[in-house]
Amino acid sequence: MLYDIIFSMVIGGMVGIVGHVRKHGKIIMPRKTKRFIYLGFLEEMLLGAVAALLILIYTTPNSMVETIFLSALAGISSDIILTRFRSLNENKEKES
């Protein structure tokens, strides 16, 4: 089970990095500014890994193919959800 968890998190993290490159066109490294710390590609990688972990724990797939499929799906959906939340916040700021 530990092997499945680690494998799932790696797949979800890799899908998160691919989503980051697709969105920005390059890998943006983490950096610290005066007001906040920008995580860069680590943000999407961690989000994809955590989403894949949660899906794996919730569904308990029976085969490696299911693990790969669910982990990739979780990584993609976490990127979509994050993008949607950002667009909703931008729309609220424009209305105010």
Side-chain angles (χ1 to χ4, degrees):
M1 183 66 180
L2 181 62
Y3 176 73
D4 289 339
I5 290 172
I6 292 171
F7 186 69
S8 172
M9 290 180 71
V10 168
I11 295 292
M14 287 174 42
V15 170
I17 291 174
V18 169
H20 176 81
V21 171
R22 183 184 52 84
K23 189 185 322 177
H24 297 287
K26 61 181 179 179
I27 292 180
I28 299 174
M29 298 302 288
R31 66 180 183 271
K32 182 179 177 185
T33 62
K34 290 182 180 181
R35 293 188 176 203
F36 65 95
I37 297 174
Y38 180 68
L39 295 177
F41 76 94
L42 290 177
E43 178 181 1
E44 280 91 359
M45 185 180 80
L46 291 173
L47 187 66
V50 169
L53 175 67
L54 293 175
I55 290 291
L56 179 79
I57 290 172
Y58 183 72
T59 60
T60 60
N62 297 323
S63 68
M64 190 58 69
V65 174
E66 286 181 17
T67 303
I68 293 170
F69 177 73
L70 290 175
S71 298
L73 188 64
I76 292 168
S77 63
S78 66
D79 182 47
I80 292 170
I81 290 170
L82 182 65
T83 304
R84 181 66 180 151
F85 280 140
R86 285 183 181 162
S87 67
L88 287 175
N89 286 338
E90 289 174 1
N91 289 341
K92 281 185 180 182
E93 290 176 3
K94 287 181 183 178
E95 290 177 359
S96 296

